[in-house]
Amino acid sequence: MLPFMKYPSAPFSSKFAPLIAAVALCISGNSFAQGATTSPQVSINDRAVVLGILAAEFSLQSGDVATAANTYYEVAKRSRDAKVAERAVELLLRGRRVDEAKEIAALWQEADGGSVRPHLIALALALTSADELRAMGAVTAIATLPDDVRASAIMDVARQLALHRDRDFAVKLASVFTQELPTSPESYYALAVASTGNENKRVGEALLAIDQALKLRPDWPQAVAVKSRLLLARGPVATGVESSPGAAAVALLENAIAANAAKNAPAANSTAPVKDESRELRLVLARTQFDLEKYAEARKQFLALAEDGLEDADEMRLAATLAAFQGKDWDAAEREFTDSLAAERGDAAAVLYYLARISEARQRWGEAVDRYTQVPRGDRYWESQLRIAGALAQDKRMLQAISHLRSLKPGNALERLSLTQTEATLWREAGENVKAFEALDAALVTDANNPDLLYDSAMLAERIDRMDEAEKRLRRVIVLQPTRAHAFNALGYSFADRNINLDEARTLIEKAHGIAPDDPAILDSMGWIAFRQGRLADAESYLKRALEKFQDGEIAAHLGEVLWAQGRQDEAKQVWDTQLKAQPDSEILKKTVARLAK
């Protein structure tokens, strides 16, 4: 559906009341007073037009949309009236008759070329059907609209272009505005969002365009919001020192908020209300801080927004509570979620779910079960049912947990998979690797080519020393998902760790590295296969990179062993000692130290 198309639910919509009323005038011999248009108008005493409108509306009243659309289509072509054309387009779209809707939209543009709506509708139809000629025509027409409506129309076009899948063509369309209206900030805003879309592509081009928009209109809230998103998407940039994209985005937003607040401050002795244009930016800042996991700062912003007393106050309070939850401020989160439930604010199912999560976090397992049980059917129901089993298992009621899982009836393939994986996880966490493997193996009987089941069961097969099964299943995953880096890595690492098939192990691990070059687990494998093959310098380089990205006992054990093999025992001990302080229970690290540092 086109985002700005709203179909009337009643057969006689209010905006067409003049047309219907005109039927009575026609019968009495009077003429129909048409709305202002740019094309020659057909008088209401054109009996075919009048009777067509009347027949179409009666068809709608009886629920026959197809006949009404057909009639309006013919009447629009005959009358060339803007209101008739608009009605025809709406009805044709209800029947998904896009080609005919485009034809009538063109008539509508001719009949009411000074209005925004027909051009926006024509553009949406052209983009939907990849009709470049009509799309270019609609954008060109919008660029020539009167000044008082053109800026908002360009912003509407920008929203459409952001959603369009063809970035090259979106940029081509937006470039019409920058060429025809080079002093309009909206032109460069449209170019920025057309360049990047909602997928954060072509970020460098988009930043150049949005900077030009901000040069023409400094601290413009909509442009600042877009630039903050682009900074986050671009990532760090070396400028002498490495800069944080998150810090840059936050600083941009805070500076713009301060500038807008100063600009919009009421004049001395003035009692006139002043629009707070910085509020949109304050909301973007709160969401940005939340996404950056700065939950305390985000919570402060959401609470301040709630204090504004606007219609979204309850939404802002719930967002603040969610920030408290994510920041592990359990006291505040539990108190506020409980208050929300009592006051019937927000989605009750979501509130109950988060209250249960808080009970889990506080290891109040029985309470967690009770709260999850209250979550009604809906989006969070299935996960809540699975979490009931997890809470029961944590409460040392393993048999009850498994019984609960086996009583559930999944409604689709995704639920079947999550049910099996949950049972396997509970058995594995209980130290019952054989039972975990058997749970996954049973699911494979009916879903033999499920790559997730195959991968998970391969990992368990390795734990229970069924290496042939592990290898067979990983090879099957690679066939089914040839870009699944961790399947290549797992098989290659399995060979490297056992010091067998080293050439194939290297090939497999390098394939994984090509798919996911920055994954610390794969970097660890790259280092370990290099060590097995005697390439100690390469091994050290990969393992140091892996440990920088992820402080892990196994990686530290491997790096220390490589250093040890190079005669750098003191460095090896330092790596081990540092990691043992962080992970005193790492079995592989303790075993490596015991084996080498005797």
Side-chain angles (χ1 to χ4, degrees):
M1 182 185 295
L2 300 175
F4 36 75
M5 292 288 289
K6 293 185 179 178
Y7 303 124
S9 57
F12 295 91
S13 84
S14 59
K15 62 183 167 184
F16 288 98
L19 287 175
I20 304 307
V23 174
L25 292 175
C26 172
I27 294 172
S28 64
N30 292 326
S31 63
F32 176 38
Q34 300 284 343
T37 61
T38 58
S39 62
Q41 298 302 296
V42 177
S43 170
I44 195 62
N45 60 18
D46 184 329
R47 191 171 184 80
V49 171
V50 174
L51 293 179
I53 293 170
L54 186 60
E57 291 296 334
F58 276 117
S59 294
L60 274 180
Q61 195 172 32
S62 64
D64 188 352
V65 177
T67 298
N70 288 336
T71 306
Y72 262 113
Y73 172 70
E74 296 299 335
V75 170
K77 289 194 295 182
R78 182 182 181 93
S79 70
R80 308 187 77 82
D81 178 81
K83 292 184 181 297
V84 175
E86 181 178 10
R87 183 65 154 168
V89 169
E90 291 178 351
L91 295 175
L92 289 167
L93 286 176
R94 287 169 75 173
R96 301 182 183 278
R97 294 160 61 177
V98 175
D99 288 340
E100 291 160 297
K102 287 196 298 183
E103 179 187 352
I104 302 305
L107 296 179
W108 184 10
Q109 287 178 280
E110 292 176 11
D112 197 8
S115 296
V116 174
R117 185 171 163 80
H119 303 306
L120 291 175
I121 296 287
L123 175 61
L125 288 168
L127 291 176
T128 299
S129 57
D131 188 334
E132 295 190 3
L133 184 62
R134 287 182 188 270
M136 187 62 72
V139 167
T140 302
I142 288 168
T144 63
L145 285 170
D147 292 347
D148 59 336
V149 297
R150 186 175 58 218
S152 63
I154 294 174
M155 296 297 283
D156 283 330
V157 172
R159 283 185 279 273
Q160 291 195 49
L161 297 182
L163 296 172
H164 191 53
R165 283 179 287 185
D166 186 342
R167 294 270 68 84
D168 289 336
F169 186 58
V171 168
K172 183 177 179 181
L173 291 173
S175 297
V176 170
F177 296 131
T178 58
Q179 292 164 8
E180 299 297 324
L181 305 164
T183 61
S184 166
E186 290 82 8
S187 297
Y188 296 96
Y189 178 96
L191 182 58
V193 299
S195 298
T196 190
N198 292 335
E199 301 168 348
N200 293 327
K201 294 183 177 179
R202 302 166 71 155
V203 172
E205 295 176 38
L207 277 167
L208 289 173
I210 208 67
D211 280 341
Q212 182 62 26
L214 285 166
K215 182 179 179 180
L216 292 166
R217 187 183 298 174
D219 302 310
W220 180 22
Q222 288 93 327
V224 170
V226 168
K227 184 173 181 179
S228 70
R229 176 174 65 83
L230 293 171
L231 289 173
L232 292 171
R234 180 182 62 179
V237 176
T239 54
V241 295
E242 199 77 0
S243 62
S244 162
V250 168
L252 172 74
L253 290 164
E254 289 177 338
N255 291 337
I257 288 168
N260 275 280
K263 180 175 66 176
N264 296 320
N269 302 320
S270 173
T271 58
V274 177
K275 181 182 178 182
D276 182 8
E277 292 188 354
S278 69
R279 191 174 194 274
E280 178 185 343
L281 292 177
R282 290 163 57 206
L283 180 55
V284 173
L285 175 60
R287 290 172 174 165
T288 299
Q289 290 171 324
F290 188 96
D291 291 342
L292 293 171
E293 299 183 4
K294 296 177 178 288
Y295 298 118
E297 294 92 331
R299 175 174 167 78
K300 181 179 178 181
Q301 291 290 338
F302 283 126
L303 287 173
L305 288 163
E307 290 300 315
D308 291 346
L310 301 183
E311 291 181 357
D312 63 358
D314 285 347
E315 180 186 347
M316 295 299 102
R317 289 191 189 96
L318 283 170
T321 305
L322 189 56
F325 172 86
Q326 295 291 351
K328 299 183 180 180
D329 183 352
W330 306 128
D331 288 337
E334 186 163 25
R335 180 180 64 255
E336 291 172 16
F337 275 131
T338 301
D339 290 345
S340 295
L341 195 62
E344 299 182 348
R345 289 196 303 267
D347 179 0
V351 173
L352 285 166
Y353 167 83
Y354 281 114
L355 283 169
R357 289 283 302 274
I358 292 168
S359 299
E360 273 192 273
R362 291 182 147 173
Q363 300 184 10
R364 301 190 315 229
W365 308 117
E367 181 181 77
V369 170
D370 290 341
R371 283 175 166 175
Y372 280 129
T373 301
Q374 295 177 57
V375 175
R377 290 188 178 275
D379 292 342
R380 300 182 187 273
Y381 175 77
W382 184 254
E383 184 187 347
S384 296
Q385 293 300 309
L386 298 181
R387 285 184 172 273
I388 286 171
L392 289 169
Q394 291 288 345
D395 203 28
K396 312 301 181 187
R397 292 186 278 171
M398 187 65 180
L399 293 180
Q400 191 175 342
I402 298 301
S403 176
H404 172 74
L405 286 176
R406 293 179 178 175
S407 72
L408 298 177
K409 300 191 182 309
N412 54 52
L414 186 60
E415 289 183 355
R416 283 197 303 275
L417 175 63
S418 62
L419 180 61
T420 300
Q421 289 176 321
T422 300
E423 180 176 345
T425 298
L426 295 186
W427 284 125
R428 187 177 66 245
E429 290 176 350
E432 297 280 3
N433 287 329
V434 172
K435 290 183 178 178
F437 176 80
E438 289 172 348
L440 294 173
D441 208 41
L444 282 166
V445 171
T446 55
D447 200 359
N449 286 322
N450 185 296
D452 293 322
L453 290 176
L454 285 164
Y455 182 85
D456 291 347
S457 65
M459 297 298 95
L460 283 165
E462 188 174 17
R463 287 191 180 198
I464 61 177
D465 204 28
R466 295 182 60 178
M467 304 308 299
D468 289 346
E469 276 299 319
E471 179 180 342
K472 181 176 75 174
R473 295 176 190 216
L474 286 171
R475 290 192 188 280
R476 183 61 183 154
V477 174
I478 287 169
V479 171
L480 293 168
Q481 291 185 327
T483 60
R484 186 163 183 160
H486 283 282
F488 288 96
N489 184 61
L491 183 55
Y493 180 81
S494 172
F495 291 150
D497 200 44
R498 289 178 287 153
N499 209 15
I500 63 172
N501 304 340
L502 294 184
D503 289 340
E504 184 183 6
R506 180 175 180 176
T507 299
L508 290 163
I509 294 168
E510 287 179 344
K511 174 70 173 177
H513 184 246
I515 298 170
D518 295 321
D519 188 293
I522 295 172
L523 290 170
D524 175 60
S525 297
M526 288 288 288
W528 199 232
I529 186 58
F531 171 71
R532 289 300 199 196
Q533 293 184 319
R535 297 179 285 112
L536 299 185
D538 286 346
E540 180 183 346
S541 175
Y542 282 119
L543 290 166
K544 281 184 174 179
R545 284 176 58 197
L547 194 61
E548 285 173 3
K549 290 181 176 296
F550 183 51
Q551 300 295 310
D552 176 72
E554 184 169 1
I555 299 173
H558 289 162
L559 177 57
E561 187 156 352
V562 170
L563 294 170
W564 193 277
Q566 297 178 77
R568 296 153 63 186
Q569 284 82 0
D570 289 343
E571 290 180 58
K573 289 178 180 178
Q574 184 177 359
V575 169
W576 292 334
D577 290 344
T578 299
Q579 194 59 38
L580 276 171
K581 290 177 182 177
Q583 280 183 278
D585 296 328
S586 173
E587 288 299 323
I588 189 171
L589 184 51
K590 289 190 291 185
K591 287 179 181 179
T592 301
V593 172
R595 174 166 53 85
L596 295 175
K598 296 180 181 178

